[in-house]
Amino acid sequence: MLSALFAGTIFALSLSNVLAAVTFKGVNVAGFEFGVHMDGSCDLSSIYGPYMQLRYGNNPDGAGQMIHFTSTHGFNMYRLPVAWQYLVNDNLGGPLSDKNFGDYDKLVQSCLATGSHCLVDIHNFARWNGKIIGQGGPLDADFADVWSQLAEKYASETKIVFALMNEPHDMPDIDAWGTTVQAAVTAIRKAGATSQMILMPGTEFTSAEKFITSGSAAALAKVTNLDGSTDNLIFDVHKYLDSDNSGSHSNCVHNNIDDAFAPLATWLRSHNRQAILSETGGGNSDPSCLKYLCEALRFIDQNDDVYLGYLGWSAGSFAATGQNSLTPFGDAKSGWRDQELLTICFAADAPPSPIVAAKTFAAIHTPKPSPPVAVGVLGGAPEASPKPHAAETTTTKHHSTPTTKKAAQPEKTKEAAPERPSPDPSPAPDHAAETTTTKEHKAKAATSKEHAAKATTSHHKQHNKDSTTFSTATKPTPKPEASETTMVAPAAAVATGGAAGGDDGEEDDTCEL
């Protein structure tokens, strides 16, 4: 329920939104990246894909969330983060894993079925197991290879967007990173995906405030398509509004217009380029965020010639009860209830979309044998019916912590992680009763990004990705499959929600399967 305090503000913001609006609005649908650390290592046992019919049983219903957001609010873009190691079954330079990519592709296909643009986002911070791509770590050719394979799968899908990498940071050579990005762009275009958008991130966690001063804008402006053009090569930026710009706090202290969004808009306009804000957010009911985030997004709406859109962090497998979560409460059977921040700021006056109908829902949620592997579709056996979860436990673990310590960044500071609530115990949805909306999720252990602890060092974003851990009985260990490694959660990870190394900021630079 809207507070009277914001009645005038909401009216003014609604009026401005009628007059101008970006092309794309939506949210992140997280889960397939759970377990990725800021040093690019990962714990694959923490992956918790937001697709109900996966082999773990009753997974969160990211497909249903996207149907709801699109039909109710007119959202038309979703970012689908995924771990690099997960895609290739922890085999750098290897082929896409039939099973793992197949599961991820189910979420991608459910996104496409809503008629939206869908961002395939490799969420590894420009690293693999602690080492930077093209700068002492994986070769540019390794990075280009995985994108070539993904582009070949989705070459015919005009609404796929290739989001090359989540939040590169502490890059020793920004020009070398530009060369790495060029290798990926060239690979995607040569694989047949010649016209889709490609999102190019910069260093400093691709901060909108530092995109120019870090040298990211200049380095990435040199990247071109095969014909030398820059068509559909879009800059990818992030920005949060709390005291340390981390996204880890429930309150917001500024709108970032003067220090970030306005200067970047001026640069983009003068260079005839465009950007997408693919992550932003704040406390989902905090008055300060309802004020400042709405102001920021309305500014972006009013500069829609250079800003193509914005996406909130995050829905998907996060608990709806988390203070910064955008996951809706409820399910299709009981009805969805959106977070206040999403309704007021992200969905302000967005018209409902008529494109999601009963046939769209049926196409997404009716299990059926898949065809052989083809462009945009991965074959596989039909999934078993979801199984109910066992008891769940909560944890105060914020994110898994990388081994690599960050250099000092005056803009950021580190705070202790907040307590995380348990997920909503919603009943299983009744698909037969649904048409345009669907089920609710149960949130799972999100051991995504955390800051390394250093007394004198400022730190970047944690996003307050609200997580819960599950007992070993809750998320059963899947049976081994041909050519795949069984994913078994380390005992310490099950107990704490983190990697086996614990919470001291030192973990093995391996991706545990």
Side-chain angles (χ1 to χ4, degrees), residues 24 27 39 52 55 69 107 112 128 210 233 272 323 340 345 359 375 428 455:
F24 300 110
V27 296
D39 69 348
M52 285 197 74
R55 60 190 181 277
F69 290 140
L107 184 67
L112 291 171
W128 174 287
K210 296 184 176 182
L233 299 183
N272 196 29
Q323 64 182 7
E340 193 172 11
C345 295
K359 63 181 181 180
V375 173

Side-chain angles (χ1 to χ4, degrees), residues 37-41 124 127-131 169 402-404 509:
H37 313 310
M38 282 196 341
D39 69 348
S41 62
N124 277 66
R127 287 157 169 80
W128 174 287
N129 292 349
K131 296 183 178 180
H169 64 88
T403 59
T404 306
D509 286 343

Side-chain angles (χ1 to χ4, degrees), residues 29-33 47 49-51 54-55 66 78-84 86-87 96-111 118-123 147 150 153-154 160-163 376 378 383:
V29 183
F32 277 110
E33 89 291 2
I47 296 291
Y51 191 84
L54 295 182
R55 60 190 181 277
M66 288 186 284
Y78 300 97
R79 184 171 180 249
L80 313 176
V82 63
W84 187 355
Y86 183 75
L87 289 173
L96 296 176
S97 161
D98 286 347
K99 183 58 183 175
N100 293 352
F101 172 72
D103 284 350
Y104 176 70
D105 184 60
K106 290 179 174 68
L107 184 67
V108 174
Q109 296 303 324
S110 68
C111 176
C118 308
L119 278 62
V120 176
D121 161 55
I122 295 182
H123 214 77
W147 275 116
L150 289 166
K153 296 289 186 184
Y154 297 122
I160 285 289
V161 179
F162 301 105
L378 187 86
E383 296 292 339

Side-chain angles (χ1 to χ4, degrees), residues 209-508:
E209 182 176 352
K210 296 184 176 182
F211 204 77
I212 302 168
T213 59
S214 68
S216 297
L220 296 174
K222 300 174 185 177
V223 177
T224 65
N225 295 308
L226 298 178
D227 61 1
S229 72
T230 58
D231 296 346
N232 283 329
L233 299 183
I234 310 301
F235 297 127
D236 185 4
V237 297
H238 293 178
K239 199 76 179 93
Y240 289 85
L241 292 79
D242 51 356
S243 58
D244 60 0
N245 293 277
S246 70
S248 63
H249 305 90
S250 62
N251 66 312
C252 299
V253 299
H254 44 59
N255 59 27
N256 283 315
I257 292 174
D258 291 339
D259 57 353
F261 298 124
L264 181 57
T266 299
W267 188 94
L268 292 168
R269 197 168 285 117
S270 67
H271 290 79
N272 196 29
R273 301 302 295 266
Q274 294 176 310
I276 285 179
L277 180 65
S278 66
E279 279 192 28
T280 191
N284 51 33
S285 61
D286 188 89
S288 62
C289 293
L290 295 175
K291 168 181 168 58
Y292 288 125
L293 185 59
C294 282
E295 289 175 355
L297 297 186
R298 297 299 75 79
F299 175 85
I300 292 174
D301 277 328
Q302 293 159 9
N303 288 269
D304 59 339
D305 60 320
V306 290
Y307 288 113
L308 289 176
Y310 43 77
L311 303 174
W313 185 271
S314 174
S317 293
F318 290 120
T321 50
Q323 64 182 7
N324 290 18
S325 175
L326 294 179
T327 300
F329 292 93
D331 56 28
K333 184 176 181 179
S334 61
W336 296 100
R337 179 168 63 87
D338 285 312
Q339 304 287 353
E340 193 172 11
L341 188 73
L342 183 141
T343 301
I344 295 175
C345 295
F346 289 95
D349 283 344
S353 171
I355 65 174
V356 180
K359 63 181 181 180
T360 303
F361 174 82
I364 293 175
H365 290 280
T366 303
K368 58 185 177 181
S370 301
V373 176
V375 173
V377 179
L378 187 86
E383 296 292 339
S385 299
K387 297 179 181 179
H389 282 306
E392 298 167 1
T393 59
T394 59
T395 178
T396 58
K397 172 79 173 167
H398 193 65
H399 296 298
S400 296
T401 317
T403 59
T404 306
K405 309 297 184 184
K406 289 171 45 58
Q409 295 180 13
E411 183 184 354
K412 322 282 185 178
T413 57
K414 171 72 164 61
E415 281 195 359
E419 289 287 334
R420 303 189 185 264
S422 300
D424 246 13
S426 302
D430 179 3
H431 295 315
E434 299 181 76
T435 55
T436 63
T437 57
T438 55
K439 317 158 288 271
E440 156 71 325
H441 83 298
K442 284 189 175 183
K444 173 282 179 188
T447 57
S448 197
K449 329 170 219 184
E450 176 158 49
H451 303 289
K454 253 189 183 179
T456 60
T457 304
S458 300
H459 299 276
H460 135 283
K461 65 186 240 336
Q462 300 174 15
H463 298 326
N464 195 27
K465 296 183 178 178
D466 309 286
S467 65
T468 54
T469 50
F470 287 73
S471 68
T472 51
T474 305
K475 179 178 170 184
T477 302
K479 296 179 181 180
E481 303 190 28
S483 303
E484 298 291 341
T485 305
T486 303
M487 294 165 59
V488 181
V494 172
T496 67
D503 293 343
D504 60 359
E506 296 297 333
E507 301 177 32
D508 294 334

Side-chain angles (χ1 to χ4, degrees), residues 46-70:
S46 293
I47 296 291
Y48 198 52
Y51 191 84
M52 285 197 74
Q53 295 169 321
L54 295 182
R55 60 190 181 277
Y56 296 135
N58 194 20
N59 278 36
D61 185 21
Q65 293 174 26
M66 288 186 284
I67 291 174
H68 162 68
F69 290 140
T70 300

